[in-house]
Structures are given as structure tokens and as C-alpha cells.
Amino acid sequence: MARNFKDLTEREILALAISLEEEDGRVYADFAEGLRETYPATAKLFDDMGAEESDHRASLFETYRARFGEHIPLIRRDDVKGFVQRKPFWLTRPLKIADVRKQAELMELETRQFYQKAIGQVTDAGIRKLLGDLEEIERKHQVAAEAMSENMTPTVKKTEDEAQRRLFVLQIVQPGLAGLMDGSVSTLAPVFAAAFATKSSHDALLVGLAASIGAGISMAFAEALSDDGSMTGRGRPMLRGSVTGLMTAAGGIGHTLPFLIKDFHVAFSAAVVIVAMELATIAWIRNRYMDTPLLSAAFQVVVGGVLVFAVGIWIGSS
């Protein structure tokens, strides 16, 4: 059962401080490890912060040993009321830089508040001085954590922005683009084959909806189950699968909705215009985020789309 902070003895307060510094140091080490490949400059900052937490723990341990001996009772943050529960997101890969900076700021604030309360509860002059010194260091850490992004040099900021863009492309744009291409192109054949075979907007609509939603579900599961993202850095499977599935369904439904129009010829003309817009959007995304030359991207997408479109019309007309 958790105890109230005011009921802790000086010995237990020092033991808790040692535990907190050890935990924070290990969390910062996990931050540094998780950010090192993508954000090396920020990882170095967390390496330094983790080393300082180790120094704090050593100072607290020396004071404890001089006053109370070698044995340190096991008392952790979870054993004391008032501490904020931390979700261990630092074990997730890849880490999000904004979340890490915010968590570091909260950790330093909480540790500083702990030292402030502890100073008011201990009577030993030496312990009070050590806690006061550590509280001042934590105050500086808090300020540094709050200003972490502002204090970066332009070169480091540019490097981290580029890394953030690469992660966005890897985790969001690529699965979304794969879904959009699959939904836009692969459903062309069944939709237009049904349209030409039946000359009915309603029938084409039903086939298009079935093909789009079915493809979306299939692609969502395929992408989510392809890997867990821990080795590839491609992000959470559920997010990746959702993005892929939604974009797949959206790509197919886009040129299916015109068949809500009862007049078949008007609906078909509108669907062709939507297809052209979808292919142009895919080409633009490939140019914008995948660094594919616009003409090359347009040629690749248009050729594929036209071939599938032609196959659908050919089968539907036969």
C-alpha cells in the first residue's frame, strides 16, 4: 500500500531520492539509445543528462552511507503517494522527438518538486544542503528541457527536421501512397468492366464499393501484419495498417461515387475525370515526398492506370 510522503523518515527520503535518480538516469539512457540513429544531437544531450543523474545518485549514496550505513531500503516512486504514473513509452521504437522532450520536461519538474518537499521534511543540515544543491541542478535541467528545441543550432535543427521528415515519409506517406495507388489503380478494372458490361450506374456502384472496401480491409491487414516496425522503423503496425487501408478504400471509392448519378454516360464521364485527378495526385505525392521527377512519376502512374483502365473496358465490352 502506498504511503504518504509526509510519513517518510529521513532515511526513506534519501533511499527514495536514490531510486528516483537511478530511474531517471536509465530513462534518459533509453531516450538516448532510441534517438541516437535519427537524432544524434538530442541523443547526446540525453547521454549527458543521464550521466549527471548518475553523479547525483552517487552523491546521495555517499551521504546515505555516511549517515545510515550500507543497506538501502527498497522504496520506489510507486510506493509513495503523489507521484505521476509514467507510461513506459521510452521502450517504444521509434521514439517521437516531441514526446521525448515533453517527458523530459515533466520528469525534471517532478524531481525538482520532490526535492523541494524533501528539504522541508529533513532536519539534518548536511542532507538539507545536498537536497538543496540537487534541487537547484534540477531547476537548471528543467529550464534546459523546456528550451531544448530552442537552443539547438540551425545545423542541428535542420538535421532533426530532415530526420522528422524521413520518419513521416516512412511511417505515413509510404503506406498511404501504397494504399492510394492500389485502391485507385487496382479497382479501375472491376469498376469499369462492370460499368461497360451492364451499362448500369447502380451495378457499377455496387461493384466499386465492394472492390474498394474489400481491398481496403485486405491491405490494412497485410500492412499491419507485415512487420512490427521495431527493426525497420516503420512505426506502429496498427497506425500503418489503418493508413494503408483507409487510403486504399478512398482511392477506389473516389471513382466509384460518380456512379451515384443515374445517367450512365454522365456518371462514366465524371468517373473518368476523377480517375485523372487521382492519378495526378499520386504523381504529385511521389514527386513531393519520394523525390521522383514529376514527369517520370506522371509517366509511370499514367501508363499503369491507362493499362488497367483499358483492360477493364475491354473485358466489360467483350
Side-chain angles (χ1 to χ4, degrees):
M1 182 177 179
R3 297 174 59 187
N4 293 316
F5 184 82
K6 63 182 180 63
D7 295 330
L8 299 181
T9 64
E10 290 187 356
R11 181 187 185 193
E12 290 170 335
I13 288 175
L14 271 183
L16 178 58
I18 292 171
S19 176
L20 291 177
E21 293 291 354
E22 180 179 13
E23 180 181 331
D24 287 355
R26 295 180 69 177
V27 171
Y28 288 147
D30 282 336
F31 284 163
E33 183 66 22
L35 297 173
R36 198 173 313 282
E37 182 177 352
T38 309
Y39 305 103
T42 301
K44 178 62 169 59
L45 291 176
F46 281 115
D47 279 332
D48 295 341
M49 291 173 70
E52 287 198 26
E53 300 298 340
S54 295
D55 292 341
H56 298 170
R57 180 179 179 277
S59 299
L60 286 164
F61 180 73
E62 289 300 321
T63 299
Y64 180 94
R65 185 166 56 181
R67 179 71 187 273
F68 302 108
E70 294 291 336
H71 174 68
I72 303 176
L74 177 60
I75 179 169
R76 300 158 299 188
R77 56 187 295 113
D78 295 340
D79 302 325
V80 181
K81 295 179 181 179
F83 285 98
V84 177
Q85 296 298 314
R86 298 175 182 172
K87 296 181 179 180
F89 79 90
W90 47 84
L91 300 178
T92 304
R93 295 294 184 271
L95 287 173
K96 294 183 178 180
I97 187 69
D99 292 342
V100 168
R101 288 171 177 157
K102 184 63 176 178
Q103 181 66 29
E105 179 183 337
L106 293 175
M107 287 170 59
E108 295 298 338
L109 173 61
E110 185 180 47
T111 305
R112 182 188 175 194
Q113 290 175 334
F114 161 75
Y115 283 128
Q116 288 175 337
K117 291 188 65 176
I119 291 170
Q121 194 161 317
V122 299
T123 57
D124 184 277
I127 296 177
R128 285 175 60 88
K129 182 180 185 306
L130 175 60
L131 295 178
D133 291 342
L134 292 177
E135 188 275 332
E136 176 61 21
I137 293 174
E138 297 298 340
R139 184 189 67 80
K140 294 178 180 178
H141 279 185
Q142 181 188 349
V143 173
E146 291 173 349
M148 191 174 288
S149 59
E150 287 80 0
N151 290 339
M152 290 188 298
T153 65
T155 301
V156 172
K157 185 69 166 62
K158 181 180 179 181
T159 300
E160 296 205 347
D161 286 345
E162 290 175 351
Q164 189 70 22
R165 181 181 183 276
R166 287 196 298 271
L167 284 178
F168 175 71
V169 170
L170 185 63
Q171 298 173 10
I172 302 296
V173 175
Q174 283 188 356
L177 180 61
L180 184 61
M181 290 179 65
D182 184 83
S184 297
V185 176
S186 67
T187 58
L188 286 177
V191 171
F192 287 100
F196 267 78
T198 64
K199 297 296 190 294
S200 167
S201 292
H202 180 70
D203 291 342
L205 177 68
L206 294 181
V207 171
L209 289 175
S212 301
I213 296 173
I217 294 173
S218 175
M219 285 290 287
F221 274 94
E223 182 63 32
L225 297 175
S226 62
D227 70 74
D228 63 4
S230 60
M231 299 297 292
T232 61
R234 297 174 66 217
R236 296 179 176 85
M238 287 296 293
L239 174 61
R240 225 174 46 242
S242 299
V243 170
T244 305
L246 288 173
M247 293 305 293
T248 300
I253 289 174
H255 52 254
T256 297
L257 290 180
F259 289 101
L260 286 169
I261 302 171
K262 292 184 178 181
D263 188 303
F264 173 76
H265 296 289
V266 174
F268 176 80
S269 300
V272 171
V273 172
I274 296 296
V275 169
M277 294 173 61
E278 289 172 348
L279 297 180
T281 299
I282 292 172
W284 179 83
I285 293 174
R286 286 173 57 83
N287 171 254
R288 175 70 175 80
Y289 291 102
M290 313 302 291
D291 298 323
T292 305
L294 185 58
L295 290 178
S296 176
F299 178 77
Q300 295 168 3
V301 172
V302 169
V303 168
V306 168
L307 287 175
V308 176
F309 181 76
V311 168
I313 293 178
W314 172 62
I315 294 175
S317 302
S318 60

